[in-house]
Amino acid sequence: MDDKADLLRALPPLSSYCPEESVAASLERAQLYHDQLVAAMPGLIVHRNGAILHCSGTLARLLGYDSAAQVMDLPDIMALVPEDARMAERHAYTRCLEGPTRSLARRIKRHRADTSIQWFDQLLEPVDWGGTPAVMEMLTQMRPEAANAEIPHQGQLLQAAIDAMPNGVLMLDRDLRLEGANSEYFRLWDYPPGMFPPGTPVAETLYYNHRRGDYGDVPCEETVAELCTRFLVKGVINSERQVPSNGRILDIRTAPRADGGYVITQNDITDRKRIEDELREAKERAEAILAELRETQQQLIVQEKMASLGQLTAGIAHELKNPLNFVNNFAELSGELLDELLALLEPLNGHLDDATRADVDDLVDSLQSNLRKIADHGRRADNIVKSMLAHSRGGGGEWQTTGLNALVEEALTLSYHAVRSQDRSFNATLERRFEPAVGEVKLVPQDISRVLVNLFTNSFYAVRKRQLTCGDSSYEPTLTVTTSTRGADVSIRIRDNGVGMPPAVIEKLFTPFFTTKPTGEGTGLGLSLSYDIVVHQHRGRFDVSSVENEHAEFTITLPRSVTAMSLGGAERHDLGNPRRG
């Protein structure tokens, strides 16, 4: 009894009830219940190839339409899908129709009737609709919880954070489909913004690259397949990839995610590669300058040695010249005086007995023989002094553009006739192999002619010596002269079939005063002077090869135009008229 009394006292008095308010509250609660029930019920829509085949009233209300007929009147299912999600939805629909798969809820977004965006949980199932497969799409409105309400905002914040990264970022799922990319990725590859939305297979981007010519003339399918496999390898997958459309060089790296997907980072290293190229070019220039300096230093050392030797030679030659002139002149004068003395004594010949006369004749013959020897050796010494002076002076002619073949022919003819003038019995076969393309070369013609005459004279001496010593009547002295072009250089090759030279002689061939000729026949300065003219003056090469008792070959290589590079490497100075200092 007491309990009932307590219950009655707890109830509000009857005067507090208002019928209108009770009905309104009931209607409000009923509407709330209805809305919650509708939100909890999945909306259904069936479509095939984009055409909407069926739409439930629940889905229409979830999307803000007044009736399902308004949804059915839409042009296709993609009218409900935001543009940036259409590619992903197409692939989801395709996978659904390919066969039974485990149904997994996807969080997707759809356009409402007022064009606003609404987020849903989605399930896809393949169905048989009128005897033809179709896609049944079940959409359930996301619960109006605080966490769910923050998902779009959190997604925007995440995208903003990714877009702020300085590197290109590409996120792929385990099937190598795009899950997301930042704006830097699209900029680096010159893709229009939004061109490849989430769900796009990464192969589509590679096909696009191939169509615009990024990979050159290579098979499309094989190239795309090979590049796709690189995304599965951790680390550098395609380092220093160049984008032909904009010239950028990218360093591309991949990192696997725990859920089976991949994060691809792409760093623009164009500036770094440019700096590396500039540093490499600067290093090469520095090395070239260093090599030039070393070569110049070596040339300066050689020239200094040669200059010192030239000064010493010139000094000695000048000191010898005057007493040598006295020896030669007085030897000649003594011969003349002896002849005059004999003419004066000739009347007294009848007063001498035979023994005395024989002694006088012997003495006169000895005096005349000695004077001739003095004169001969004096002339030889004079020639040596002249060669020493020529060696000390070096080349002094002017640089001229000269036809090389004509210069070689002139020197060859001059040398041959000079040798035949001393030995009428000498004959040799001269083979000329002149290449017309040799043309004109910038050189000092007097000095190069001196070199050629010296070489030809040596060759004629070698073949004549072999002819006299070999004892083979079938031997034919032959001299072959060949001119040819070698890129920016020209070469003169002189080959004879004379006595040749052993390696020990070749090593000392260009040493001043070294000669293989007998005493009185050579000064040992001809080849030394020739080497100086070719190598130091004309910056060419002087090569020798020989097999003893078989052949000897001299090859002169000259640049068409003698040039020198400045230390900066930017200028080249013509040495057509070199300065001496």
Side-chain angles (χ1 to χ4, degrees):
M1 190 66 179
D2 294 336
D3 293 337
K4 290 182 179 180
D6 294 337
L7 180 60
L8 290 173
R9 283 194 296 271
L11 292 173
L14 291 176
S15 59
S16 64
Y17 287 97
C18 177
E20 293 79 5
E21 292 181 1
S22 299
V23 173
S26 298
L27 291 175
E28 183 179 354
R29 287 194 298 271
Q31 183 63 41
L32 178 60
Y33 175 74
H34 176 270
D35 293 342
Q36 292 176 347
L37 185 61
V38 169
M41 294 177 60
L44 299 179
I45 187 169
V46 181
H47 51 85
R48 180 192 306 121
N49 296 330
I52 300 175
L53 305 176
H54 171 75
C55 178
S56 66
T58 302
L59 180 61
R61 287 191 293 274
L62 289 175
L63 294 174
Y65 290 92
D66 295 334
S67 65
Q70 292 179 329
V71 179
M72 297 287 292
D73 291 338
L74 294 175
D76 58 26
I77 189 65
M78 288 299 163
L80 297 172
V81 181
E83 185 176 358
D84 61 351
R86 289 178 181 176
M87 181 68 72
E89 290 303 294
R90 287 193 182 98
H91 290 300
Y93 297 155
T94 300
R95 288 197 302 270
C96 176
L97 292 174
E98 286 176 352
T101 57
R102 190 175 69 171
S103 298
L104 296 175
R106 299 173 60 239
R107 185 139 294 166
I108 54 94
K109 54 186 177 180
R110 291 291 183 266
H111 281 306
R112 290 176 55 84
D114 59 0
T115 69
S116 63
I117 299 296
Q118 178 71 50
W119 287 83
F120 294 92
D121 289 327
Q122 177 200 63
L123 282 176
L124 297 178
E125 291 287 345
V127 295
D128 188 335
W129 193 271
T132 305
V135 176
M136 182 177 69
E137 189 172 347
M138 292 171 284
L139 301 180
T140 304
Q141 186 177 354
M142 290 176 55
R143 301 293 185 271
E145 299 176 1
N148 292 340
E150 288 294 321
I151 288 179
H153 178 62
Q154 295 296 332
Q156 294 175 357
L157 292 177
L158 178 60
Q159 185 64 42
I162 296 176
D163 286 337
M165 297 180 66
N167 300 333
V169 178
L170 174 65
M171 291 177 287
L172 305 177
D173 62 15
R174 66 179 64 203
D175 296 324
L176 297 183
R177 298 179 184 274
L178 272 70
E179 290 185 328
N182 65 350
S183 58
E184 182 68 6
Y185 166 76
F186 287 92
R187 187 189 71 84
L188 291 177
W189 286 95
D190 272 350
Y191 296 149
M195 181 177 186
F196 300 111
T200 304
V202 74
E204 290 291 336
T205 68
L206 303 178
Y207 284 126
Y208 177 82
N209 295 344
H210 186 276
R211 286 193 297 271
R212 72 179 181 182
D214 283 10
Y215 308 134
D217 187 15
V218 295
C220 180
E221 296 295 336
E222 292 84 346
T223 302
V224 171
E226 194 272 334
L227 291 176
C228 283
T229 58
R230 298 189 185 183
F231 287 102
L232 307 178
V233 181
K234 181 179 179 181
V236 178
I237 62 165
N238 199 4
S239 184
E240 299 185 8
R241 175 72 188 176
Q242 185 168 9
V243 184
S245 60
N246 54 32
R248 293 190 183 95
I249 302 176
L250 306 181
D251 180 58
I252 306 176
R253 300 172 184 269
T254 181
R257 301 196 316 245
D259 61 354
Y262 305 90
V263 176
I264 315 298
T265 57
Q266 308 184 4
N267 184 25
D268 187 354
I269 59 172
T270 307
D271 291 338
R272 190 186 79 188
K273 294 299 295 181
R274 176 181 55 79
I275 294 173
E276 289 177 356
D277 291 341
E278 292 176 354
L279 290 175
R280 182 172 60 254
E281 292 174 359
K283 178 184 176 184
E284 292 174 354
R285 287 196 300 269
E287 291 176 347
I289 292 172
L290 180 60
E292 181 74 14
L293 286 174
R294 287 174 176 170
E295 181 181 354
T296 304
Q297 182 184 31
Q298 184 63 29
Q299 290 179 354
L300 289 174
I301 293 173
V302 173
Q303 290 175 0
E304 186 176 355
K305 289 181 179 179
M306 294 301 296
S308 300
L309 178 60
Q311 292 175 358
L312 177 63
T313 303
I316 295 173
H318 282 295
E319 292 296 326
L320 291 176
K321 187 68 175 173
N322 290 332
L324 187 59
N325 287 337
F326 278 103
V327 171
N328 291 333
N329 293 336
F330 279 101
E332 183 179 358
L333 180 60
S334 298
E336 296 174 356
L337 291 175
L338 180 59
D339 292 337
E340 293 179 3
L341 177 62
L342 292 176
L344 292 173
L345 295 178
E346 186 174 358
L348 301 176
N349 288 339
H351 299 284
L352 300 176
D353 56 27
D354 294 338
T356 303
R357 182 176 179 80
D359 292 337
V360 171
D361 290 339
D362 288 339
L363 290 173
V364 170
D365 291 339
S366 297
L367 286 173
Q368 289 177 336
S369 176
N370 291 342
L371 289 175
R372 283 195 299 270
K373 289 181 180 180
I374 292 173
D376 290 341
H377 286 280
R379 284 191 294 271
R380 175 173 175 264
D382 187 59
N383 290 332
I384 292 175
V385 170
K386 290 179 180 179
S387 296
M388 292 170 65
L389 289 173
H391 191 278
S392 65
R393 287 194 297 269
E398 294 185 358
W399 290 75
Q400 300 177 13
T401 300
T402 307
L404 187 64
N405 289 338
L407 183 66
V408 174
E409 174 64 27
E410 180 183 357
L412 178 60
T413 303
L414 177 63
S415 303
Y416 185 57
H417 287 300
V419 172
R420 280 184 48 79
S421 67
Q422 298 177 6
D423 186 356
R424 290 292 182 182
S425 64
F426 174 69
N427 288 290
T429 302
L430 305 181
E431 296 182 359
R432 300 169 176 84
R433 301 174 184 176
F434 297 159
E435 183 178 330
V438 168
E440 294 185 338
V441 181
K442 201 157 194 176
L443 45 76
V444 182
Q446 299 91 334
D447 293 341
I448 295 298
S449 180
R450 182 190 303 176
V451 172
L452 294 173
V453 168
N454 183 61
L455 292 177
F456 292 146
T457 303
N458 289 345
S459 294
F460 289 137
Y461 175 85
V463 297
R464 180 59 171 165
K465 183 177 180 180
R466 182 175 178 182
Q467 185 180 37
L468 295 175
T469 59
C470 70
D472 185 359
S473 59
S474 63
Y475 171 75
E476 293 184 4
T478 303
L479 180 65
T480 304
V481 184
T482 305
T483 62
S484 60
T485 59
R486 296 182 178 181
D489 300 333
V490 296
S491 67
I492 307 168
R493 190 166 66 252
I494 302 170
R495 182 185 180 96
D496 65 69
N497 61 345
V499 293
M501 295 171 288
V505 171
I506 294 177
E507 291 179 0
K508 298 182 290 185
L509 200 59
F510 299 113
T511 303
F513 303 107
F514 174 79
T515 180
T516 59
K517 296 179 181 178
T519 303
E521 297 188 29
T523 63
L525 293 173
L527 286 178
S528 174
L529 180 61
S530 299
Y531 184 87
D532 191 26
I533 292 172
V534 171
V535 176
H536 298 145
Q537 183 182 6
H538 288 77
R539 296 198 176 183
R541 286 175 53 88
F542 208 141
D543 299 306
V544 183
S545 64
S546 179
V547 176
E548 195 171 6
N549 295 320
E550 183 176 320
H551 77 273
E553 182 174 285
F554 293 82
T555 303
I556 298 173
T557 304
L558 299 173
R560 286 190 175 274
S561 181
V562 180
T563 55
M565 182 176 290
S566 66
L567 292 182
E571 300 180 3
R572 295 183 70 83
H573 306 285
D574 199 317
L575 296 184
N577 294 290
R579 298 179 181 177
R580 294 188 177 273

